[in-house]
Every structure is written in C-alpha cells, then in structure tokens.
Amino acid sequence: MRPRLRTALLSVTATALALPLLTAPASQASSATAPPRTGFETSAGARWTTQPEEQRFLAAVDRASDRVAMSTIGTTKQGRPLQLVTIGTGRHTRTTVLLICSQHGDEPSGREACLTTVRDLAYTRDAGTRRFLSRTTVLVVPTANPDGRAADTRTNADGVDVNRDHIALKTAEGRALAAVLRDHRPDVVYDLHEYDATPPYYDKALLSLWPRNLNTHARVHDEAHALSESYVRPAAERAGFTSGVYGIWTDPATGEPLKQVAGDGQERILRNTAGIKHSVGLLVETRVTPLTDEEKRDTAVNNRRRVTTQLTALDGLMRYVDERRGRIEAATTAARLAGLGDRGPVHLGGADNDPAEPAEVIQDPPCAYRLSPAQYADVGDELALHGVRVTPPDGGDNSVRVPLRQSARALVPLLLDARAAYHLTAGEPMTAC
C-alpha cells in the first residue's frame, strides 16, 4: 500500500489557509508538541515565510523528530546558511530523492511546499508513509538561493542565475548543490520553480519537463519522462489543475504544440545536469499569473493556489517513487555503470526533440584530456565537486589526466573540451592512454 500523501486538497477559493499535512493531522503527530507552522500558513497565504521564520520552523522540526537531520552545506555571499534536511527512518534505504526549492529567489511557492513537506514527513504517524520513509531517504534544500529570496530576485547576491551555474560552479549555491549531488547520488532530483503565463498559449497551472540533454542515459531519460507524464501532471490534473510541458506553446483550440520558447538541453541547467549525472531529473513550474478574478482581487488566494499546485505535484512524485523504485534503481545503476565501458558518442548540443548537428557530436571521444598544472590548479576544485576522477601527474611536466573511462564519462568533455559551450578549460585530447 502506498502512503497516504495527502488527506485533503485546499480549495483555491478558500478564505483561510488550511494546508493539509502530508499524511496525518497534527493530533496524530509523533510529538506531543503541536507541529510548527510556517509564516505563510499563519498568514493564510497573505505573505511568504521569512527567513528567520524558516530557521525557527526547521529547528522546531529537527528537535521534534528523530527521523530528521539538519546540516549546513554552504554559506551565501551575504552570510546566509544553505541548509540540507535529511528525512528517513531506515539505515539502508533503497531510494534517495532530492528536492531543490526556490533556486530563483522570486519563485517562492516551491519553498513553501518544501517546508510543509519536511514537517509533514517528520511528524507523520501514518503506517504507509512510515513504511515509505523506511525505504526512502528524502533530502530537501528548502531555500536554494537565500540571498535571492531575501531580495525577491531571480538571481543570487552576485546577480548570477543559480540555475545556469551547474557546470561552472562559480556560486556558493551552485557549489553546495554539486556537493550534494556528488555525495548523496540521489536517484531523483526534483526542482521546484514558477513561471509567468502567456495566455492563451502558455497558461497552464503546472508545467513540467525532464532532462532533454542527449547525454542522459536512455533509461534515466525514460524514467524522468514517466515521472512527468504519468505521475506529476496527472496528479495535478486529478486535483483540478491544468498541466502542460514546460517551454512549449500550444494551440488553445487543439492542444497541438506551436513553438518552443524554453526548455532546451543546456547542460548547465539543473534538470539536465541531473540527467547527465545519472539522476531522474524533473523541473516543475507553477503559474504565478492569476487564474481567476478572485486571484486578481486577493493575492493570498493566488499564493495559496500556487503552493497547493506544488503540493499536488509532490504527491505525484512520491507516488512515482513508491510504485517504481525498482525501475528507478535499475535505471540509475545502469547509467552509473555505463561510463565504465567508455563507448559511444558524446553530444555537445541538441536535445531529445532537436537532433544534434554533426559538429555537435564527438563520435569518437578521446580516452582522456590532459590538463597542465596551471589548468588543474584553476579547475581542480570544480572537477572534484562534480565527482570527476583524475589520475596522478603524468610524466615530468606534472600534467594531470582526466580519463573518460569513469561513471562521469559524458560530463568530462562538457567540462574540458574546447568545443563544449560551457567548458571550464580547454584540455588537450589524448588518443593514447
């Protein structure tokens, strides 16, 4: 039996916020102390949770539940902590799920959904959900861009879009997330965002998209597609929300695609980076633009609908994990082992709906890239954060080799080949290793 991931849905026309617990009402909580509430909840959606409120909320959850652990994974330019919440009850869980919340600071609904999800998993007494947690580790970065959230800006304090920094790793936020991907090797990476609608062509309540990058292993790609199309979108639609594919304008009369405006295969975007790193990645976007006249009149109603849409999509994610964990594990394991065979092309461009041009394909990749001591001094930390293996200095010149025969095989040329769009440095291709 799968866990009861919601007991009720919040009506978008409600005048007071009553976000349901993920599994069980507060009266059934595992602690005698009443579960904490976010600033968003206590204000009935009239405002977003402040960062001091977030810290108090998470500290209270951590104290109350022995299935929760908190850690600091970095510090922003302005001194705010980047935090990771780990939730689980089993020592040897099979599946790891990572939620990345509000990489863009002006997209707060995902953060609110993540905060209440942390609490609801921590406090649940529902047998199905506890069984789910005995087999699943849920990792949550509640605020992936704290400086941007404080300023209500898309970018971080340096003006950098964190969701374009998952290759270069120039930001504290990007580096922290890369370390989490490397150290925890999540099977699923779920990235929560928001978007502004363009009616009538691009105006669904929820949009989602899998990794389109062509270096994503086929089995991982197919699992991510199933997560989107068979679980997340249907969960939203069962709750009464419209859904679509991120980046695709559709004809309002026929539903047929008209053009693509976003959602390509750039490796520096998290959903694509996750796929290249052998996780089932998914981007989820909820609509900021009001859907009804009531939402136009009352910002709180709009805010509540945005958060509730995120919560219903999260239900789809959890159902997916519970029902397909065997397939997920098989796909991510196959992907992680594939690079050890050191076979096949590496794609520098294209997407699953946009075939790469011949010049964008390395048909016969080198066996390694050689880095000079100066190059390695410049990018060695980034390679380590990416989990890329290097060999000791080669010969008298103290150069370093980065072999392709490793789990991160497809990532290596994206980082080190001069032809790659976002390469860190131009390594020397080696044909004899």
Side-chain angles (χ1 to χ4, degrees), residues 175-198:
R175 295 172 75 85
L177 295 177
V180 172
L181 292 175
R182 178 197 63 194
D183 297 342
H184 295 273
R185 298 204 308 171
D187 297 286
V188 181
V189 177
Y190 187 89
D191 188 20
L192 293 81
H193 287 262
E194 297 194 85
Y195 83 105
D196 290 317
T198 307

Side-chain angles (χ1 to χ4, degrees), residues 7-192:
T7 58
L9 288 174
L10 173 66
S11 167
V12 298
T13 60
T15 58
L17 184 66
L19 281 175
L21 290 178
L22 195 65
T23 53
S27 61
Q28 298 177 358
S30 58
S31 169
T33 304
R37 303 180 74 205
T38 65
F40 180 79
E41 290 174 307
T42 58
S43 70
R47 62 176 180 82
W48 305 108
T49 302
T50 67
Q51 290 177 326
E53 287 174 331
E54 175 186 336
Q55 295 304 302
R56 291 193 295 269
F57 176 90
L58 292 174
V61 171
D62 188 22
R63 288 193 302 268
S65 177
D66 59 5
R67 67 181 71 123
V68 173
M70 294 273 299
S71 60
T72 298
I73 56 174
T75 304
T76 69
K77 179 180 181 179
Q78 295 180 347
R80 294 182 175 92
L82 291 155
Q83 293 179 297
L84 177 69
V85 183
T86 303
I87 312 162
T89 61
R91 293 184 178 179
H92 303 291
T93 56
R94 285 182 56 185
T95 314
T96 299
V97 178
L98 172 62
L99 309 183
I100 305 294
C101 318
S102 295
Q103 282 197 81
H104 295 146
D106 58 353
E107 300 172 8
S109 74
R111 170 177 176 255
E112 300 293 345
C114 287
L115 289 172
T116 55
T117 295
V118 166
R119 176 198 60 207
D120 298 342
L121 290 174
Y123 277 80
T124 185
R125 295 183 63 187
D126 173 69
T129 304
R130 295 180 73 170
R131 185 161 50 251
F132 174 84
L133 289 173
S134 73
R135 305 171 68 194
T136 313
T137 298
V138 180
L139 306 173
V140 184
V141 180
T143 308
N145 181 5
D147 292 349
R149 175 80 287 275
D152 195 31
T153 57
R154 177 181 178 90
T155 60
N156 71 354
D158 286 315
V160 177
D161 185 334
V162 177
N163 203 27
R164 301 297 184 274
D165 188 44
H166 296 292
I167 289 294
L169 304 183
K170 298 300 183 183
T171 65
E173 297 86 355
R175 295 172 75 85
L177 295 177
V180 172
L181 292 175
R182 178 197 63 194
D183 297 342
H184 295 273
R185 298 204 308 171
D187 297 286
V188 181
V189 177
Y190 187 89
D191 188 20
L192 293 81

Side-chain angles (χ1 to χ4, degrees), residues 314-359:
L314 280 166
D315 282 347
L317 166 67
M318 300 302 183
R319 180 178 178 181
Y320 164 80
V321 171
D322 205 41
E323 292 183 355
R324 293 176 70 100
R325 67 176 71 245
R327 296 182 185 183
I328 297 166
E329 180 182 11
T332 56
T333 298
R336 289 165 183 155
L337 292 175
L340 301 178
D342 194 15
R343 293 190 299 272
V346 174
H347 296 85
L348 303 179
D352 66 356
N353 63 345
D354 179 23
E357 298 293 333

